[in-house]
Amino acid sequence: MANYLEVRSLSKQFGTFTALGDVSLDVIEGEFVCFLGPSGCGKTTLLRAIAGLDPQTSGTIRQKGRDVSALPPAQRDFGIVFQSYALFPNLSVADNVGYGLVNRRQNKGAIARRVAELLVLVGLPDAGPKYPAQLSGGQQQRVALARALATSPGLLLLDEPLSALDARVRLRLRHEIKALQRTLGVTTIMVTHDQEEALTMADRIVVMNHGAIEQVGTPQEIYRRPATAFVADFVGSMNFLAGTLMAPDRVRVAGVDFACPVQDGLAPGQKVSLCIRPEDVRVRDLPADIANRVPVEVAELDFVGAFCRATLKARATSDVSVTADFSSNLIRDLGVDIGTKLDIALPPDRVRIFA
Amino acid sequence: MIDRTILRRATLAGAAALAVFGLASPAFAQKTRLTVYTALENDQLDPFKKAFEADNPTIEIAWVRDSTGVVAAKLMAEKDNPRADIIWGLAASNVGLMASMGMLEPYTPAGSTALNPMFLSGKSPQTWVGMDAYLSLVCFNTAEGKKGNKPVPTSWADLIKPEYKDSIVMPNPASSGTGYLTIAAWLQIMGEEAGWKYMDALHQNIAQYIHSGSAPCVQAAKGERLIGIGLDTRGASEKTKGAPLELVIPKEGLGWELEVTAIVKGTKNLDAAKKLADWAVTKKANELYAKTYPIVAYPGVANTPPNYPPNLEKVMVKNDVEWMAKNRDRILAEWTKRYDGKSAPKAK
Amino acid sequence: MSLAAPAVKPGMSRDDLMMRGGVVLLAGVLLVMLGLPLWSLLAKGFEDRDGKFIGLANYVSYFSTPALFQSALNSLQVASITTVIVVPLAFLYAYALTRTVLPMRWLFQGISLIPIFAPSLLPGLALIYLFGTQGFFKALLGSGSIYGIDGIVIAQVFYCFPHATLILTTALATSDARLYEAADVLGASKRRVFFTVTLPGAKYGLISAALVVFTLVMTDFGIAKVIGGNFNVLATDVYKKVIGQQDFSMGAVVGMVLLAPAALAFLVDRLVQRKQVALLTARAVPLVPRPKLGRDLFFTLFCAAVSAAILTILGMAIWGSLIKYWPYNLSLTLDNYDFARFDANGWESYWNSVRMALGAAVFGTVLMFTGAWLNEKTRGFGAMRGVVQFLAFLPMAVPGLVLGLGYIFFFNAPNNPLNFLYATMGILVLNTVAHFYTVGHLTATTALKQIDPEFEAVSASLKVPIWKTFVRVTAPICLPAILDIAIYLFVNAMTTVSSVIFLYAPDTKLASVAAVNIEEAGTTAAAAALCVVIVLTSAAVKAAHLVADRFLFARLQVWRRR
């Protein structure tokens, strides 16, 4: 598949502050890419550079083979949706959606047909004569989406489009946007700080921190095989246990050795973190010879709905603790409560080691 | 294209706005429009204009009238590109300064030989020609005087009596020409040393130095103050309107100033300006002046306006206009140092 | 890290080129309207009377004159006292308008604006009727006199009150109700809420109001001249030098000195304003005051007292305009409104004023709003935009006398291609717009900052030229602010004196100038009458604005309704 967008060595300075440092990235035609990271990580800066709204200090951007690095936004090919919707409040929904069409000197009938089509597409067939203020937040964001798509841009840019909406609307729109994107096949970049959003919507996720890319990968790759401690921590929940690498496949934590996948890049003796996700901690049916067994005591139990998040203290040393997700079934079956003593295992294939 | 369109629209809109509100001045092609700068009283303008235009039907007077200071400042600021054709009714001291700066077109009006020589600039041809004289005298509010049981003063010397403490207003010489001619007269009558000593004493009785030559008599007329030292014509006109005012001519004599006519150098309407200059020295014109001013340039036109004491010419001090001009900066600096700087509000 | 990639020089779109061209044009216009005229006067400060360059000699002689130093102290004193009185007064009034349940709120709001509609002559005259030697309430002053610092301060308080109230009403109206709910929940006492939430929330408004009042007092000479007595201030010093002695060099020196504190004040204001932007969030919930008897009663009485004071001053002027001869013949007459008896131009100057005010409102609003938009929305181009911003801030600190004289020197220069404007209505319009540029520019900028910053990005992505979005979206959304600017210009054009007094021609004399002339001629009643006509005109225009706002624009602005 062809690269639709090629970003090479992009840097952006604000005075002495480096907002983006030497970022390179490819986006394939038709894919849905999410820029994910905490606020201030440079994800919006990267998006605005791609749009040409805040041009980069150095580096190149090619869109469909065309070097757009120095082009102003109006000469690039994209549609954009902002967190604030940026709908024109004094124009009707139909006029908003048709805003970019009117300028193309199409006849009125054609414009009206296209606007109606787009409003059907975003599920608001009757909203045309209304004004933005008469719509809910979710509806307004749909109108913004229709407006951005009206001119059939090759690239759709979404800047935190769901952040201003309440939780239920956000959930519904996630699916709608994803479905729409799949139907239209438009290459899409979305900026978000919400990992769940990124995981459910994106074909690929670009995790960013401090103006640099930490990892690029599918949601599964990002979640299962985080490339850096930052990604491991930022995406999903993760236990971090401080230890020392004893051998390429052994880590010592609080005097106890744990098996782990073979580490090539790290030298024995190095301080490392042993990481495991709470849902990967095993409790049930532990075989007698299971690796990485730890006797623990339940210190806290937080009800989260579908499951409980338990804080488990190692019985040997009280300064090592691990959180684990226990299903309601498990809690009932094992009679888990605060103070319960039990054994857990950290499956070596689920353990990740970061320097 | 688009860029140009909006710029063009903006320019057009601006031009349209200017056209509507600015340049739509009527074009009276047949008459010569003479721009006359003046500090004459507002109510004099119309009769003067009508009388002149009746005799000169091809000329139309367009007045620019403001207080002496504003008109003088405007003339001086416009020096490099004069807008006035002629000055008709401005203090001689201001006009004299303009003459020395070469801002005037020398012209001896036909008939000016008939005038009292005191009213001529003395140059040949004349740089300016006088119309009338105004005086700086004392306005006394008799109603307030009766209330406070204060006698009517008869001399400058009376004014420093303690009974008038804080009851006198006079123009600030730094902001008013009348103020300057008042103190210049004292310095000339009494001599410099005695003059300053007199002002030191008078300062104790002054409630306020006002930024205007006409305001003191008006304030006295309205009972704001008991005594105002200032422009005579204003006092007389207030009295006509019903103010309980007495115009006092101090027996030591008083300061005076000429109002003059002068053609501005560079005028595009020189012929019309000369016609006005000629007309301004006629007996007819002087009879008009005499309706407001007790002393006019044309001898024998002595139609004393109402509310004036008779025979004013006798009490006018010997005024050395040149001395006044030469010493202006020095005297004002001295005056400011003595009275203006420390003139903290008396009341509190 | 790869080798440093070559720096990108962003290309410019048509929009960018047009916007930059616009900013350059705007800078040029402001330079012609403001920068160059000001300079052509201030440069005289370095010349002697004959126009020879003498460096700083005038400044040396100025600073070695103790009397002038005293004036500077007096100016600071009057400005400080006025600020200290006006700001708390205006704060309480604004608080009442925004945070309490006030009966007839619209009336109190309207009354608070009256002083803006009045030429500065009006409070001066009214105070003489009230507290002068023959005044009705003379006894209240004891042995004191209205002529002097007391009179200046009272008149300045009257004159500055609406300016401060407007700023503080805006500041208090934009506070977030959620903060008060939080404080309530936390059980904070009323006192504590006031000091920890209300005051800090209005902090920037308070600073702005204080700076505006301070600058207004520093630069105004009208009030000091009429009622100042012997109390010399810098603005009257300029008057003495320029009008009394036609000494432009020293006038320029005092003008420059006067510029310093005012310019400093505005530097502070800019720093403060920059910080403020971050304070307001889009999600703030407007505060709707709930009735509370004790508080509401107190503030109703307070507002009634302040309104009564304002109305007394206006009422005195109206009454004064109807009497025959103060104080000796108090019978009533309408003769004073027959202006032809006092000024050759009669009512003509009034219509000139209306024409000029309309011109200034139309031309100024277009220039200020378009200019603010260009300066806000142009990408990059920081230096030139900085120049525009500086020029836009300048006029607030410039005394009108200085600007007016500068206009003569600049526009009347024989080699100036624009000198055809001189002595036309056009130059009065230009001068007035320049004189009041700062507030209009600030109003427009604030309004533009409040709308979504991404409109231009959206229209660029849709390939719609930026000016089209300006016409179709930005300007319509900002219509209320645009009308505010137009009204502000109209009202000030009706009352302005200090600058235009040098610039009117035979056909273009203005009512505000005529009022000053008539007053100087001693016909106080007629001057009061003309002031009253001016107040009523401005009030009528403002009332028409409110009515139109309510009925006409409501229909045009359906989109604002939820």
Side-chain angles (χ1 to χ4, degrees), chain A residues 9 22 48 52-53 55-59 69-70 72-74 76 78 82 84 86-90 99 103-104 131 133 147, chain C residues 1-2 5-11 13 379 452 454-455 457-458 460-465 468-469 472-473 476-477 559 561:
Chain A
S9 305
D22 197 32
R48 292 180 76 87
L53 296 172
Q56 68 276 20
T57 314
S58 64
S69 311
R76 303 188 188 196
F78 68 95
F82 292 101
S84 64
L87 289 179
F88 305 132
N90 61 325
Y99 197 75
N103 203 47
R104 308 200 163 186
Y131 286 100
R147 181 178 63 183
Chain C
M1 277 285 236
S2 67
V8 170
K9 200 168 179 297
S13 63
R379 306 193 316 154
D452 198 308
E454 309 294 8
F455 284 166
V458 167
S461 80
L462 295 172
K463 318 277 183 285
V464 177
K468 223 174 200 177
T469 302
R472 272 194 80 189
V473 179
I477 292 179
W559 52 270
R561 255 181 262 147

Side-chain angles (χ1 to χ4, degrees), chain C residues 300-336:
Chain C
T300 307
L301 289 176
F302 172 78
C303 287
V306 172
S307 298
I310 293 173
L311 290 178
T312 304
I313 289 181
L314 179 67
M316 267 334 274
I318 294 177
W319 179 78
S321 74
L322 295 171
I323 52 172
K324 278 214 173 106
Y325 196 86
W326 168 271
Y328 301 110
N329 182 355
L330 301 184
S331 56
L332 299 182
T333 172
L334 273 175
D335 287 353
N336 299 317

Side-chain angles (χ1 to χ4, degrees), chain A residues 132-274:
Chain A
Q134 297 166 305
L135 303 180
S136 70
Q139 289 170 325
Q140 291 191 52
Q141 199 54 298
R142 283 179 229 217
V143 175
L145 193 63
R147 181 178 63 183
L149 292 169
T151 53
S152 308
L155 177 63
L156 180 61
L157 302 176
L158 309 172
D159 186 5
E160 305 241 11
L162 305 177
S163 305
L165 303 173
D166 57 50
R168 285 170 68 87
V169 181
R170 199 169 352 176
L171 227 59
R172 208 171 60 226
L173 262 184
R174 261 187 216 169
H175 293 286
E176 286 182 15
I177 292 176
K178 179 66 189 162
L180 195 63
Q181 189 267 340
R182 212 170 274 153
T183 321
L184 299 174
V186 56
T187 311
T188 302
I189 299 175
M190 180 169 94
V191 162
T192 180
H193 62 268
D194 180 338
Q195 40 149 321
E196 218 177 285
E197 217 166 274
L199 292 170
T200 51
M201 295 174 79
D203 296 323
R204 283 198 303 153
I205 296 174
V206 176
V207 185
M208 297 183 65
N209 190 31
H210 294 314
I213 293 177
E214 293 272 337
Q215 186 176 7
V216 181
T218 64
Q220 285 77 11
E221 285 168 347
I222 299 284
Y223 193 81
R224 287 289 154 225
R225 289 192 296 283
T228 64
F230 171 80
V231 176
D233 189 28
F234 189 74
V235 180
S237 303
M238 185 67 91
N239 289 297
F240 281 78
L241 303 175
T244 311
L245 193 69
M246 305 308 290
D249 62 348
R250 302 206 72 76
V251 174
R252 180 169 295 171
V253 176
V256 182
D257 281 8
F258 289 88
C260 68
V262 175
Q263 303 296 312
D264 289 333
L266 301 175
Q270 187 165 353
K271 298 279 181 214
V272 294
S273 294
L274 181 150

Side-chain angles (χ1 to χ4, degrees), chain C residues 88-325:
Chain C
L89 213 59
F91 181 83
L92 287 179
Y93 204 91
Y95 188 89
L97 288 176
T98 52
R99 300 295 176 80
T100 69
V101 182
L102 211 56
M104 290 187 294
R105 197 176 155 270
W106 58 273
L107 185 65
F108 285 121
Q109 191 150 29
I111 291 173
S112 75
L113 286 175
I114 287 175
I116 282 192
F117 303 153
S120 63
L121 193 58
L122 186 142
L125 297 181
L127 285 180
I128 292 173
Y129 289 139
L130 283 168
F131 300 111
T133 314
Q134 306 290 337
F136 289 104
F137 302 113
K138 165 83 170 106
L140 287 182
L141 289 179
S143 64
S145 155
I146 195 69
Y147 297 100
I149 185 166
D150 299 356
I152 303 185
V153 168
I154 296 175
Q156 292 286 13
V157 166
F158 174 81
Y159 173 59
C160 296
F161 178 75
H163 294 270
T165 306
L166 276 176
I167 296 171
L168 288 170
T169 306
T170 316
L172 286 169
T174 47
S175 280
D176 191 345
R178 293 176 304 172
L179 291 173
Y180 290 88
E181 283 160 13
D184 252 0
V185 171
L186 292 170
S189 70
K190 294 290 152 215
R191 227 180 101 90
R192 203 154 152 238
V193 172
F194 182 79
F195 283 105
T196 55
V197 182
T198 311
L199 267 189
K203 188 168 74 186
Y204 295 116
L206 283 168
I207 294 174
S208 285
L211 291 176
V212 165
V213 170
F214 191 86
T215 318
L216 281 174
V217 179
M218 285 295 285
T219 55
D220 178 80
F221 85 96
I223 287 173
K225 186 186 158 234
V226 171
I227 206 162
N230 296 330
F231 196 77
N232 292 316
V233 293
L234 286 176
T236 48
D237 278 355
V238 179
Y239 180 86
K240 272 188 229 163
K241 291 295 171 194
V242 167
I243 309 282
Q245 298 160 35
Q246 294 88 44
D247 183 348
F248 302 134
S249 303
M250 285 310 276
V253 169
V254 189
M256 193 76 109
V257 171
L258 204 43
L259 222 50
L264 199 71
F266 269 84
L267 214 67
V268 174
D269 192 49
R270 274 203 70 188
L271 289 176
V272 167
Q273 295 286 354
R274 205 173 297 159
K275 281 193 196 149
Q276 169 150 42
V277 179
L279 263 186
L280 285 174
T281 66
R283 296 222 225 151
V285 179
L287 187 82
V288 180
R290 264 165 273 166
K292 234 179 84 190
L293 191 62
R295 177 201 65 190
D296 292 344
L297 192 66
F298 169 78
F299 277 105
T300 307
L301 289 176
F302 172 78
C303 287
V306 172
S307 298
I310 293 173
L311 290 178
T312 304
I313 289 181
L314 179 67
M316 267 334 274
I318 294 177
W319 179 78
S321 74
L322 295 171
I323 52 172
K324 278 214 173 106
Y325 196 86

